[in-house]
Amino acid sequence: DVSKYQQMIAWDAVSSMQVKKIKLGFVFIKATEGIGNTDPQFKRNWRRSKDAGMVRGAYHFFLATKDGRMQAENFIKAVDLKTGDLPPVLDIEQTYGVSKDVIKNEVKEWLNIVQTNYNIKPIIYTNIDFYKQNLGSDFDDYPLWVAHYYQPRQPRIKRDWVFWQHNDNGRVNGVVSPVDFDVFSGDSVAFSQFLIK
């Protein structure tokens, strides 16, 4: 997954990279943050990743101190999802001192509005500890993209997960700085079924 921190990405080099017969199959791109911010590289990354033949997804970095509805509207305004794209993603990692109940309510607001707009259930991205402490079973029906680095086989979480961010120091052709590496839980058929129809 990438954002402005990876600067200008050479997407043709990304899509053609191959290591031991393995190619990169998808990318998550930061789109928005809070109620008024769009990642300055989003439009370029969104367009060029598709042109290079990558399956792409867009994510919103959630600020717990801001209104969930306004954050959803920020994302919807910036992201036009198409057939073959990944479902929208809510990235929530920090409380900023906001209570668990408020966070849950604002996150639910974001998820409901975004699901209604795109007609697909959004993915929640977070780490294991944040999920357990601040979200929990109220959100077990949502697909989970979980961050848990340097585990040998899988993340240590009881509930099902769809994507696992297993490394935060990956190297990819066409990208100057390190990137997070993610894996899908399933085969190519399950992956294609997970995409927007």
Side-chain angles (χ1 to χ4, degrees), residues 14-180:
V14 174
S15 67
S16 61
M17 180 175 160
Q18 187 167 319
V19 178
K20 297 179 182 175
K21 298 185 179 177
I22 296 172
K23 296 185 81 160
L24 298 174
F26 59 89
V27 61
F28 284 108
I29 301 168
K30 183 177 180 183
T32 50
E33 179 174 328
I35 60 175
N37 297 321
T38 302
D39 189 284
Q41 291 293 331
F42 173 66
K43 282 185 180 173
R44 180 185 188 277
N45 285 336
W46 191 244
R47 186 179 66 252
R48 299 231 174 145
S49 60
K50 185 171 179 91
D51 290 346
M54 300 287 296
V55 173
R56 61 193 183 165
Y59 71 90
H60 174 82
F61 189 85
F62 194 84
L63 298 180
T65 56
K66 306 292 184 187
D67 180 76
R69 172 176 291 278
M70 292 175 75
Q71 293 192 68
E73 289 166 355
N74 184 28
F75 181 83
I76 290 164
K77 189 170 70 179
V79 181
D80 182 20
L81 293 174
K82 304 284 190 190
T83 299
D85 289 336
L86 287 155
V89 178
L90 178 71
D91 174 347
I92 179 153
E93 307 172 39
Q94 298 169 10
T95 65
Y96 303 98
V98 175
S99 75
K100 188 192 314 187
D101 288 342
V102 170
I103 288 172
K104 284 183 175 183
N105 286 336
E106 297 304 325
V107 164
K108 283 178 183 171
E109 184 80 350
W110 192 96
L111 293 167
N112 289 335
I113 291 167
V114 168
Q115 181 169 347
T116 299
N117 183 77
Y118 296 107
N119 200 30
I120 192 165
K121 192 170 273 200
I123 301 166
I124 295 173
Y125 166 90
T126 193
N127 62 66
I128 285 179
D129 290 338
F130 190 96
Y131 191 87
K132 288 177 180 172
Q133 293 165 15
N134 299 291
L135 299 176
S137 58
D138 288 2
F139 296 89
D140 281 352
D141 286 345
Y142 287 90
L144 179 64
W145 170 17
V146 64
H148 196 196
Y149 301 143
Y150 312 120
Q151 298 302 304
R153 282 181 293 282
Q154 64 181 40
R156 289 198 309 269
I157 191 166
K158 288 193 170 90
R159 64 150 291 180
D160 290 342
W161 52 272
V162 179
F163 291 96
W164 170 29
Q165 187 176 88
H166 58 87
N167 188 318
D168 62 351
N169 200 25
R171 292 289 178 181
V172 174
N173 294 351
V175 185
V176 177
S177 60
V179 296
D180 299 329

